[in-house]
Amino acid sequence: MSGVWVFKNGVVRLENPGAEACSNSNTRRKVLVHVPTNEVMTSYAVLERKLSSLGWERYYDDPELLQFHKRSTVHLISLPKDFNKFKSMHMYDIVVKNRNVFEVRDV
């Protein structure tokens, strides 16, 4: 993963300005899978139910982001409001913060 880490409004994001130029029709689409049920996360509603069952709570501070926090940790998951902008970097963030529960797969 290449790009530039940008800190803005208390959130660190990886921005990759060259990603669009590098992508082509051979690039595989990624999906986030809930491993215990083998269910693909097809919407934020489905993902939010899974995260809630794991102890994640929704934050409503930023209207442009969906944010989740787990009280027992310092982790914060920040996702774009539009599910169409949900990219593999967001998926891997969820995987790292929920080991053995989610995984990213190629479609």
Side-chain angles (χ1 to χ4, degrees):
M1 236 195 278
S2 64
V4 177
W5 288 99
V6 177
F7 184 79
K8 182 179 177 184
N9 297 329
V11 177
V12 176
R13 296 181 190 177
L14 179 64
E15 293 187 0
N16 192 355
E20 293 80 22
C22 294
S23 65
N24 59 34
S25 61
N26 294 332
T27 303
R28 291 189 170 184
R29 195 170 66 90
K30 307 262 186 210
V31 292
L32 182 67
V33 177
H34 183 250
V35 174
T37 61
N38 206 33
E39 182 180 1
V40 175
M41 300 296 101
T42 56
S43 70
Y44 280 146
V46 175
L47 177 59
E48 186 170 358
R49 281 196 303 275
K50 298 297 183 190
L51 290 174
S52 294
S53 72
L54 296 168
W56 291 89
E57 299 175 356
R58 175 92 185 268
Y59 272 18
Y60 294 91
D61 292 341
D62 189 336
E64 303 210 6
L65 295 172
L66 291 180
Q67 293 184 310
F68 299 92
H69 177 260
K70 197 170 192 177
R71 287 184 188 220
S72 61
T73 70
V74 295
H75 296 306
L76 181 69
I77 297 172
S78 296
L79 307 172
K81 193 79 165 182
D82 181 1
F83 189 75
N84 291 326
K85 295 180 180 175
F86 183 57
K87 304 294 181 202
S88 62
M89 71 175 184
H90 303 110
M91 296 176 195
Y92 285 114
D93 185 40
I94 293 169
V95 168
V96 167
K97 294 172 182 169
N98 296 278
R99 298 226 183 260
N100 303 320
V101 179
F102 291 98
E103 64 182 31
V104 178
R105 296 183 188 163
D106 290 327
V107 177

